[in-house]
Amino acid sequence: MDMKKRIHLELRNRTPSDVKELVLDNCRSNDGKIEGLTDEFEELVFLSTINVGLTTVANLPKLNKLKKLELSDNRISGGLEVLAEKCPNLTHLNLSGNKIKDLSTIEPLKELATLKSLDLFNCEVTNLNEYRDNVFKFVPQLIYLDGYDKDDEEAPDSDAEVYAEGLDDDDDDDDDVDEEEYDDDAAPGEEEEDEGEEDEDEEDDDLSGEDEEEDDLNDREDEEDEAEEQRGEKRKRELDEEGDEDEDD
């Protein structure tokens, strides 16, 4: 797609000053120019022009608020000194896959006072001896080169992914605790019901014990009454027998 047409589509009835991010990857540039991109894009923070056939950055408009510039897979071989004028507040610059061969080509980037991250993957300059040490020397404000700092520590994006995995691990640990403390198969309130049923069973057991004691007491009273009655009958018979003997005499 023609770059000018692409920019028109990206606007989507907005004015250039409303746009903060603009992606023009794989468009066709006219003689290495970014047609349609003007200094009216004054609020632009992120610009991506990957594989658009750029040979120079001299045609960039002045973009004071631009923070991140993607220029991967173009044919840029020099002229980087204009970036300090065109994009003075750049923090991230990606020049991977361009035709940068010499460290002297990179040296002008030291004028970008806020530049923190620079990528030069697949550029010939990366094959030079002590490439990393020299780039950090020429661009002293730089923190990350090709995704790593001077101590070979990875850039924050990768650290953020590790931090996210640590959180997942914490969530898993919490799940384990929950499984130990609670029965997943039990419905809400079921545990309380079970406890209530146990209490009722205990009360029933207590009542049953009281009933058994009362029944035993009644049985003993009945036995005593029966024994008393038997003794009365026996005494009556004895008296009757004594009376019969007296009549015979």
Side-chain angles (χ1 to χ4, degrees):
M1 179 183 291
D2 180 81
M3 187 171 291
K4 191 173 183 179
K5 183 178 180 181
R6 175 68 173 271
I7 291 176
H8 177 72
L9 291 175
E10 287 288 333
L11 284 174
R12 299 171 187 169
N13 299 321
R14 296 177 294 174
T15 62
S17 60
D18 292 330
V19 179
K20 292 187 176 182
E21 297 184 5
L22 192 59
V23 178
L24 305 173
D25 300 348
N26 303 312
C27 290
R28 294 191 303 273
S29 62
N30 185 11
D31 294 330
K33 296 180 181 179
I34 308 176
E35 292 185 323
L37 184 64
T38 67
D39 55 11
E40 292 179 346
F41 288 82
E42 57 189 8
E43 297 295 323
L44 201 63
V45 176
F46 171 71
L47 174 63
S48 184
T49 55
I50 298 174
N51 189 32
V52 298
L54 291 181
T55 57
T56 178
V57 292
N59 296 316
L60 278 173
K62 190 171 180 61
L63 302 168
N64 285 328
K65 292 190 177 181
L66 195 68
K67 297 289 186 181
K68 186 172 183 178
L69 179 59
E70 287 278 353
L71 295 169
S72 305
D73 300 326
N74 284 291
R75 300 195 297 273
I76 298 169
S77 59
L80 300 180
E81 60 273 3
V82 301
L83 289 177
E85 176 190 350
K86 304 281 188 177
C87 314
N89 293 303
L90 270 185
T91 59
H92 294 73
L93 176 61
N94 193 337
L95 289 165
S96 301
N98 279 278
K99 297 183 179 299
I100 298 173
K101 301 178 181 180
D102 304 316
L103 289 170
S104 59
T105 305
I106 299 167
E107 191 172 3
L109 296 178
K110 67 183 178 182
E111 302 300 327
L112 289 167
T114 58
L115 189 65
K116 295 180 179 179
S117 176
L118 174 65
D119 288 313
L120 295 167
F121 288 112
N122 297 323
C123 293
E124 290 186 37
V125 68
T126 61
N127 296 322
L128 298 177
N129 292 332
E130 299 182 350
Y131 149 72
R132 288 181 57 82
D133 291 339
N134 285 323
V135 172
F136 280 118
K137 180 181 178 180
F138 287 146
V139 192
Q141 75 275 26
L142 201 64
I143 298 176
Y144 298 104
L145 175 60
D146 301 332
Y148 292 86
D149 65 11
K150 294 179 182 179
D151 300 322
D152 290 330
E153 294 291 334
E154 228 170 346
D157 288 343
S158 299
D159 293 340
E161 294 176 2
V162 174
Y163 177 68
E165 293 175 1
L167 288 179
D168 292 339
D169 293 340
D170 290 342
D171 291 340
D172 292 341
D173 293 339
D174 291 340
D175 291 339
D176 293 338
V177 172
D178 291 340
E179 289 178 0
E180 292 176 1
E181 292 181 352
Y182 301 103
D183 182 2
D184 291 338
D185 295 332
E190 188 172 326
E191 293 183 357
E192 289 86 347
E193 292 178 3
D194 291 343
E195 291 176 359
E197 290 176 359
E198 291 177 1
D199 293 340
E200 290 178 1
D201 291 341
E202 291 178 358
E203 290 178 1
D204 290 342
D205 292 341
D206 293 340
L207 291 175
S208 298
E210 292 177 0
D211 292 340
E212 289 177 358
E213 291 178 1
E214 187 175 348
D215 291 341
D216 291 341
L217 181 60
N218 292 334
D219 290 341
R220 285 197 296 273
E221 290 177 352
D222 292 341
E223 290 175 357
E224 290 176 357
D225 291 342
E226 185 176 350
E228 183 67 25
E229 185 178 347
Q230 290 177 353
R231 285 195 295 272
E233 290 178 354
K234 182 178 180 182
R235 179 62 178 165
K236 184 180 179 181
R237 285 196 300 272
E238 290 176 351
L239 292 173
D240 290 341
E241 289 176 357
E242 289 177 0
D244 292 339
E245 288 178 359
D246 290 341
E247 289 179 358
D248 290 341
D249 292 341

